[in-house]
Amino acid sequence: MDDELFESLHAEGLLSASSLERVRAYSRSAPVPLHMELRTILYLGVLLLSTGLGVLVYKNIDTIGHQTVLALIALLCAGCFVYCVRHKLPFSPLRVAAPGPLFDYILLLGCLTFITLIGYAQAQFGLFGQRFGLMLFIPMVVLFFCAYYFDHLGVLSMAITNLAAWCGIAITPERLIRANDFSSERIVLTGILLGALLLVAAYASKRSHVKEHFEFTYTNFGAHLLFVCALGAMFSFERLWFAWFLVLAAVVALFYRKALRERSFYYMLILTLYGYVGISYAVMKLMLLSNPEDGVIYLGFLYFIGSATGLVLFLIAMNKKIKAL
Amino acid sequence: MIAYPKVWLQNLRIRRQVADAYDRGCLLADERAAIDQRYPVGFYSPNLFIRVGLFVLTSMISGFSLGFLMFMVYSAGGDASAWLFVLLAIGSYAVLEHMVRKKAHYRSGVDDALLWVTFGCLVSALALAGHLPPLLLALAICVLSAFFVLRFIDAAMTVVCSLSLFGVVFYALLPLGAVAKIVMPFVFMALGGALAVFTMRVRRLSEAVHYRRCLQVARVVGLSMLYASGNYFVVRELGSELTGMPVPDGSKLPLGWLFWLFTTAVPIGFAWLGIVRRDRALIRLALLAAAASVLTVRYYYHVMPVEWAMVAIGSVMIAGAYVLIRYVKDGRSGFSFAPAPDGADAGQLEALAVGQAFGAAPAVHTVGTQFGGGSGGGGGATGTY
C-alpha cells in the first residue's frame, strides 16, 4: 500500500485521522499472504501422493508385497476418515466451514484412497464380478455422502463426475467434447437427461436451503453438458438437426432468464458463445441447402463478420443491462 | 505516449488502493464513497467474462475479415498476402485508436484483441514479405512490441518484448560459432539478471507509475530466464538443438558441474531473497524453479521409481505445507495465511479444478449398452484393470 497516497487523501479531508492510522499500521506490518501458494502445495502433494499410491498398487499387484501395500493404503484411508469424523463441525444445512487448514485435504486424500481401494478390490478379487456399473455406483454414493456430510465442494465435483461416468458420459471440461460419442442417440439422450437432472438438483438445493452453495457446481456441470449435448446432436443427426436446434434454443432461453435473474455475467457469456455456434451452424446449413455454389463462401464470410459484430454489440448491451439490475 | 487518459488511470489506481484498504478494514464505507466520487473513472471496462467474450468475437471478426479479403484476392488470381496483412493491421489499429480514444475502452476485450491482431498482422507481413534474417526479424518484433507496451501498457505484450530481447541477443551471438555455444548461457543469465534489476530501478521512478504491472512482468521474465539459462537440462538439450551442434547422449557437458550448481542454487537463492524481502513473486518463482530442478535431476539420474518418488514427494509436500501453515498462522513471521477478501468465487473455481484433476472412477471396460456401463474418466489413482 502506498502511504503517500493515503497521506494526501487525508490532507484533502477525504480520510479521517484514525483511518490513516489504521492504514499506516497495516502497511508497517503488511503480512505477505501466502494462502494461495500453500494451498497449491497441499493440492499438488495430495495429487502426487494419491497418484503414486495408485500406481504402486497397480504395479505390485502380482507380487508378494501387495498385501502390505494394500493394508497400508486401507489404513491411510481409514485414518483420514477417522480424522475427518472426529474433527468436523456439526452438520448443518448451511455452509459449514472446515475446522482447520488441513481438513479439506485430508478428506480429499481419504476419498481418493477409497477409490484406489475399490479399484484394487475389483482387480484382485473381482468384488463386483461383471457388474461394472456397481463398481462405479458405490464410490459415487460414498462421494456424494461425503460431500454433503463434510461440506466439501471439491468432493461434490468428484461425485458429479463419477455420476456422469456411471451414466457413460465424460463430463470434465477437458474431456466433455473429445471423449463422448455424440453420434450415438443413447449418449445424447443420456446427456440431456443427466444435464436436466443436475439442474433439478441445483434447483432443489436452492429451494430446500440444504447446502445452497452447491447450487452453482450442479448448474455449471448441467449447463455445459446440456449445451454440448444439444450442439453435438445437432452436428451428428442429419435429419433431425433442426429439432436439436430448437432444443438448443430452449436451453439458451432458460439460461438467459437465469443470467438476468442472478445477474450473472458468466452464464450470459456461455449461453452467447454456445448459442452463436448453434445459430452459425443453422445459417450455414440453410445457406448450403439453398445456394450450393461459389457465392456462398462470400456470403459465409459476410455472415460471420456481420454476426460477430452484432454479437459484440449484444454482449456490450447485456453487460450494461446486468450492471443496471 | 500512453493512449489511455492518464487522469483516469491515476484515479483507477487510487480507487484500487482504497478498495484494498477498505477490504482490510482500514477505511469506513462513506470515506471510500467520497473518495470514489472525487476521483471518477470513465473507462468502459466490462466484467471479465464479457471481456473474454468480446476478445473472442473481435478476434473472429478480424480473422474472417482477413479471410474474406484473401479469398477475394486469390480468386481474382492475385498473391499479395503480405499487403493484406498490412491492410488489416492498419485497419485494426485505426479501430483500436478509435475505441480507446473516443469510446473509452480499457481492458474491454476489444482493445486487447485489436492490439494483438495489429501486432500479429505486422509481424506476419514482415515475416512473409521481407525475407529478413532472423536477427532483424527479432529486432523488429522487439521494437514493435516495445511501442505497443509503451502505448497500451499490455502485460502480455511485455512478455513478447522481453523474450524478443533475448532473441536479438541470441541471433547476434550466433555467428560466433562454437564460442557462442559456450558463452550463451552466461550471457543470457547476465541479461536476465540485468533485466530484473533494471525493472526494479525503473519502478521507483514516478513517471513509471502506470507501467508498474508491465515492469513486474518484465522482471519475472528476466528472473525466469536467469534460472532457465543456468538449468542443466536447458543448457544441454536446448543449447545443442538451437545452435545445431549436437551433444552425444551420455556425454558430460563441458562445465557441467557449474550448471548443476546453478540448477540447485538459483531456486534456493530466489527463495531466500523472497523470504528476506517478503516478495511473493520471488517465492512463487522459487517454487516453480525448485520443481523444475527436481524434474531436471530426475531426467538424468533415476534415483527411484516414479511411484515411490511421487509418494515420497507428495508426503513431503503435505507435511511441509502443514508445518509452514502452522508457523505462518501466528503472523509473527511477516507472512499470513489469511485468505483473500473475496474468496467465494475462487472457492467455486477451486472445486471445479479439483473435480477435473481428481474426478475419476476406476477405469472400466466398456461393457454392453445398459445404463451404468461406459469407461471412467481421466486423472487420479487409476490404471486400466
Side-chain angles (χ1 to χ4, degrees):
Chain A
M1 275 202 243
D2 190 2
D3 275 353
E4 267 183 39
L5 166 68
F6 290 96
E7 307 266 348
S8 65
L9 285 175
H10 173 66
E12 286 180 40
L14 291 163
L15 203 64
S16 67
S18 52
S19 290
L20 180 62
E21 241 336 287
R22 279 193 289 268
V23 170
R24 280 210 197 108
Y26 184 79
S27 39
R28 261 199 304 271
S29 68
V32 175
L34 281 183
H35 186 252
M36 206 170 67
E37 287 80 1
L38 288 169
R39 291 198 74 143
T40 310
I41 296 179
L42 276 173
Y43 271 128
L44 285 177
V46 169
L47 179 64
L48 282 176
L49 184 58
S50 65
T51 314
L53 286 176
V55 175
L56 211 59
V57 166
Y58 172 61
K59 275 197 172 172
N60 292 307
I61 226 160
D62 291 324
T63 68
I64 300 178
H66 77 282
Q67 302 250 3
T68 331
V69 170
L70 182 71
L72 284 172
I73 295 180
L75 207 62
L76 181 63
C77 178
C80 289
F81 278 113
V82 163
Y83 176 91
C84 289
V85 170
R86 277 259 214 89
H87 283 88
K88 77 168 196 63
L89 298 173
F91 178 82
S92 136
L94 301 171
R95 180 176 208 145
V96 177
L102 268 192
F103 183 85
D104 281 344
Y105 301 93
I106 295 192
L107 179 64
L108 198 58
L109 190 61
C111 290
L112 288 171
T113 44
F114 176 73
I115 292 181
T116 308
L117 286 174
I118 292 277
Y120 176 84
Q122 169 65 3
Q124 190 66 12
F125 305 116
L127 188 66
F128 301 102
Q130 291 295 313
R131 302 196 297 274
F132 294 113
L134 195 60
M135 187 177 134
L136 286 170
F137 186 75
I138 295 205
M140 174 191 88
V141 167
V142 170
L143 285 173
F144 268 113
F145 176 75
C146 287
Y148 275 91
Y149 189 60
F150 296 107
D151 199 321
H152 193 295
L153 275 175
V155 173
L156 179 68
S157 284
M158 281 170 66
I160 296 178
T161 311
N162 273 276
L163 172 63
W166 180 64
C167 298
I169 306 230
I171 204 176
T172 59
E174 178 221 341
R175 303 180 79 232
L176 179 58
I177 298 183
R178 290 185 302 132
N180 292 306
D181 175 20
F182 292 110
S183 62
S184 146
E185 257 183 37
R186 191 184 68 79
I187 297 264
V188 168
L189 283 170
T190 312
I192 301 268
L193 270 170
L194 180 60
L197 177 69
L198 288 171
L199 290 185
V200 165
Y203 181 71
S205 291
K206 264 242 155 101
R207 256 327 195 71
S208 64
H209 299 295
V210 174
K211 304 293 182 195
E212 271 190 75
H213 52 291
F214 282 4
E215 189 255 341
F216 176 74
T217 310
Y218 279 123
T219 314
N220 195 30
F221 275 112
H224 286 283
L225 188 58
L226 279 175
F227 279 123
V228 173
C229 279
L231 278 176
M234 242 177 88
F235 297 152
S236 307
F237 299 125
E238 277 300 314
R239 296 168 297 121
L240 290 173
W241 71 268
F242 191 70
W244 286 110
F245 176 71
L246 292 176
V247 171
L248 179 71
V251 179
V252 166
L254 178 72
F255 280 101
Y256 179 75
R257 279 187 49 216
K258 189 178 175 67
L260 286 181
R261 202 171 44 220
E262 298 184 6
R263 300 166 65 193
S264 164
F265 294 102
Y266 174 70
Y267 288 128
M268 190 58 80
L269 176 68
I270 67 175
L271 74 85
T272 307
L273 290 178
Y274 280 121
Y276 185 53
V277 173
I279 292 179
S280 301
Y281 184 78
V283 169
M284 288 289 106
K285 262 232 131 88
L286 289 170
M287 273 207 251
L288 282 170
L289 277 176
S290 60
N291 196 7
E293 29 154 289
D294 227 25
V296 80
I297 301 190
Y298 282 114
L299 271 177
F301 276 118
L302 284 174
Y303 160 75
F304 278 113
I305 296 175
S307 58
T309 314
L311 220 55
V312 164
L313 296 172
F314 172 74
L315 273 182
I316 294 180
M318 285 301 111
N319 184 54
K320 257 195 218 127
K321 187 166 188 176
I322 293 182
K323 267 203 176 148
L325 283 174
Chain B
M1 187 75 209
I2 301 181
Y4 304 107
K6 282 198 185 156
V7 175
W8 284 349
L9 285 177
Q10 181 69 2
N11 292 356
L12 192 60
R13 262 199 77 234
I14 294 177
R15 281 182 163 204
R16 279 201 187 128
Q17 297 238 19
V18 165
D20 195 35
Y22 174 75
D23 284 335
R24 301 194 192 275
C26 300
L27 245 64
L28 303 171
D30 50 354
E31 282 173 335
R32 181 189 177 182
I35 295 175
D36 279 353
Q37 208 173 26
R38 171 82 177 75
Y39 295 101
V41 170
F43 286 134
Y44 175 71
S45 300
N47 176 275
L48 174 66
F49 296 119
I50 305 285
R51 183 179 173 191
V52 168
L54 289 177
F55 182 87
V56 168
L57 288 168
T58 310
S59 308
M60 266 186 67
I61 295 173
S62 312
F64 279 109
S65 304
L66 182 67
F68 184 65
L69 290 172
M70 278 191 153
F71 189 71
M72 279 202 317
V73 167
Y74 280 125
S75 10
D79 175 26
S81 327
W83 286 114
L84 285 177
F85 277 115
V86 172
L87 193 62
L88 188 64
I90 295 176
S92 32
Y93 189 70
V95 177
L96 174 62
E97 288 281 344
H98 174 78
M99 285 296 173
V100 165
R101 294 225 286 239
K102 295 283 157 38
K103 301 283 180 123
H105 277 234
Y106 176 71
R107 309 284 188 251
S108 65
V110 174
D111 59 342
D112 300 310
L114 288 173
L115 181 66
W116 281 96
V117 166
T118 311
F119 179 71
C121 286
L122 284 174
V123 171
S124 305
L126 276 174
L128 281 174
H131 301 294
L132 292 169
L135 175 61
L136 284 182
L137 189 60
L139 194 59
I141 292 179
C142 193
V143 169
L144 266 177
S145 52
F147 168 74
F148 284 118
V149 167
L150 286 173
R151 188 150 175 80
F152 295 99
I153 323 176
D154 188 273
M157 196 62 80
T158 314
V159 174
V160 172
C161 187
S162 316
L163 288 177
S164 60
L165 193 64
F166 285 90
V168 168
V169 170
F170 176 77
Y171 284 114
L173 283 178
L174 210 51
L176 292 176
V179 177
K181 190 174 153 208
I182 298 174
V183 152
M184 200 73 77
F186 301 105
V187 171
F188 268 36
M189 284 180 82
L191 185 59
L195 184 61
V197 171
F198 173 72
T199 51
M200 297 270 288
R201 290 278 161 82
V202 172
R203 219 160 173 254
R204 300 207 196 109
L205 297 175
S206 61
E207 295 86 18
V209 70
H210 298 301
Y211 291 106
R212 289 227 174 131
R213 182 115 188 278
C214 295
L215 288 169
Q216 176 76 323
V217 168
R219 180 174 171 238
V220 168
V221 172
L223 291 171
S224 305
M225 290 301 276
L226 174 65
Y227 169 76
S229 324
N231 178 286
Y232 187 86
F233 176 84
V234 171
V235 172
R236 194 194 153 100
E237 312 294 333
L238 250 56
S240 68
E241 204 180 293
L242 285 174
T243 55
M245 289 175 265
V247 176
D249 274 341
S251 73
K252 285 280 181 205
L253 193 65
L255 288 180
W257 60 271
L258 185 60
F259 294 113
W260 277 121
L261 185 64
F262 283 143
T263 306
T264 42
V266 173
I268 297 178
F270 281 171
W272 182 76
L273 264 179
I275 293 175
V276 160
R277 288 188 173 191
R278 304 209 301 201
D279 186 332
R280 248 177 122 189
L282 269 175
I283 293 177
R284 286 189 195 161
L285 271 176
L287 289 173
L288 288 172
S293 293
V294 168
L295 288 173
T296 306
V297 171
R298 268 206 67 79
Y299 187 82
Y300 292 100
Y301 298 105
H302 293 280
V303 178
M304 58 172 86
V306 170
E307 58 270 14
W308 282 110
M310 286 173 106
V311 170
I313 294 181
S315 313
V316 164
M317 282 173 91
I318 295 178
Y322 180 66
V323 166
L324 279 173
I325 290 176
R326 289 306 280 263
Y327 176 63
V328 157
K329 260 194 151 177
D330 294 337
R332 284 176 296 128
S333 55
F335 295 100
S336 83
F337 187 61
D342 68 330
D345 278 346
Q348 296 281 5
L349 214 63
E350 204 179 294
L352 191 62
V354 168
Q356 163 73 43
F358 300 110
V364 158
H365 303 295
T366 350
V367 167
T369 50
Q370 288 91 341
F371 224 71
S375 50
T382 69
T384 35
Y385 292 106

